[in-house]
Amino acid sequence: MMSVAARSGALAPYLHSTKHAVKSLVKPGAKDLAPAAAPGGIRLAHTDIKIPDFTDYRRPEVTDPSKSSQDSSDARRSFSYLFTGATTVVGVYAAKTVVTQFLSSMSATADVLALSQIEIKLSEIPEGKNMTFKWRGKPLFVRHRTEKEIAAEEGVNISELRDPQHDKDRVINPKWMVVLGVCTHLGCVPIASAGDFGGYYCPCHGSHYDASGRIRKGPAPLNLEVPYYVFSDEDTLLVG
């Protein structure tokens, strides 16, 4: 084991520093009480720290300490405005590009656009019958109405209807009734040539439509929607 003398010798520098520190507290200002040398583990002043030089990042107008920064404030302010304006223009253009790309990703795909219009041969639909087609992912009802159905629908008192519309306002040619097969209640698909009025019937919640696609009974609030369509010729119907 290390002797007491050896331990005292090893601790001598620290004991010496402690002694002088105590004396400096008792008799402040005594020159002879200052330690001649501090131990290696104690740093008395941060003289080895280098202060970074930011001269390369400063504007030339403010590097000279003998000149007032107020003299160059206008020039520096103009540069700041120019830089801010250029950054704003770039930011707006980038935002426009992002929005354009986002909206483009939400637009209809090529296969959907190809089905945006449908051409129907009317000679394939017998009188008094209804045929169902798929258009834009929805069922499309095309009905070849008889003279009796036309007369019955034109004679309906529109003041008694929930969604008042005259039959003439829903057709281009009275013989052809074109509506979307989507119930206006909850989007179910009605059954053609069914219901209390011989038009369309939705079995989901009991909505009854007449042969003009108008709601006559049940919870549906509106008539069946009539899409945009034209007659290319006497035998061709173009929907969309």
Side-chain angles (χ1 to χ4, degrees), residues 35-116:
I42 300 176
R43 183 162 54 190
L44 299 180
H46 298 285
T47 57
D48 58 340
I49 298 178
K50 295 182 179 180
I51 300 175
D53 185 8
F54 296 100
T55 303
D56 294 339
Y57 302 96
R58 300 175 64 188
R59 296 182 182 177
E61 296 87 350
V62 294
T63 55
D64 189 354
S66 63
K67 295 182 179 180
S68 174
S69 61
Q70 297 294 331
D71 298 337
S72 60
S73 61
D74 293 337
R76 290 183 288 110
R77 189 179 297 112
S78 300
F79 176 80
S80 299
Y81 290 159
L82 179 62
F83 182 78
T84 303
T87 304
T88 303
V89 171
V90 174
V92 171
Y93 180 78
K96 173 182 174 295
T97 303
V98 171
V99 172
T100 302
Q101 293 294 332
F102 176 73
L103 294 178
S104 298
S105 66
M106 298 180 63
S107 61
T109 58
D111 56 340
V112 175
L113 292 175
L115 297 175
S116 60

Side-chain angles (χ1 to χ4, degrees), residues 5-238:
R7 289 198 298 268
S8 300
L11 297 175
Y14 300 98
L15 295 176
H16 183 71
S17 299
T18 304
K19 179 180 69 174
H20 284 286
V22 173
K23 288 182 179 181
S24 64
L25 294 174
V26 177
K27 297 179 180 180
K31 297 181 180 180
D32 58 338
L33 297 181
I42 300 176
R43 183 162 54 190
L44 299 180
H46 298 285
T47 57
D48 58 340
I49 298 178
K50 295 182 179 180
I51 300 175
D53 185 8
F54 296 100
T55 303
D56 294 339
Y57 302 96
R58 300 175 64 188
R59 296 182 182 177
E61 296 87 350
V62 294
T63 55
D64 189 354
S66 63
K67 295 182 179 180
S68 174
S69 61
Q70 297 294 331
D71 298 337
S72 60
S73 61
D74 293 337
R76 290 183 288 110
R77 189 179 297 112
S78 300
F79 176 80
S80 299
Y81 290 159
L82 179 62
F83 182 78
T84 303
T87 304
T88 303
V89 171
V90 174
V92 171
Y93 180 78
K96 173 182 174 295
T97 303
V98 171
V99 172
T100 302
Q101 293 294 332
F102 176 73
L103 294 178
S104 298
S105 66
M106 298 180 63
S107 61
T109 58
D111 56 340
V112 175
L113 292 175
L115 297 175
S116 60
Q117 289 186 334
I118 183 174
E119 190 176 85
I120 301 172
K121 293 296 182 181
L122 300 177
S123 58
E124 299 177 356
I125 306 176
E127 187 178 17
K129 298 295 182 179
N130 181 92
M131 289 190 67
T132 304
F133 303 88
K134 185 178 181 181
W135 176 67
R136 294 184 180 179
K138 300 177 182 179
L140 177 71
F141 293 159
V142 179
R143 187 187 189 102
H144 190 174
R145 301 193 300 184
T146 62
E147 294 295 336
K148 183 179 179 180
E149 289 176 332
I150 296 173
E153 301 308 328
E154 290 181 350
V156 173
N157 185 2
I158 61 174
S159 63
E160 300 176 355
L161 300 177
R162 181 178 304 169
D163 184 12
Q165 274 188 308
H166 198 279
D167 182 72
K168 293 181 179 180
D169 297 330
R170 293 176 57 81
V171 295
I172 298 177
N173 185 339
K175 292 183 179 181
W176 301 101
M177 185 70 230
V178 183
V179 293
L180 292 180
V182 180
C183 181
T184 58
H185 179 222
L186 292 176
C188 303
V189 179
I191 301 173
S193 303
D196 295 349
F197 299 88
Y200 307 94
Y201 170 67
C202 182
C204 298
H205 302 92
S207 295
H208 298 257
Y209 302 86
D210 58 21
S212 185
R214 297 173 296 191
I215 182 63
R216 303 292 294 274
K217 181 180 178 182
L222 301 173
N223 303 330
L224 294 179
E225 181 182 352
V226 177
Y228 173 79
Y229 67 93
V230 294
F231 291 96
S232 301
D233 52 53
E234 294 182 357
D235 189 45
T236 305
L237 175 68
L238 186 63

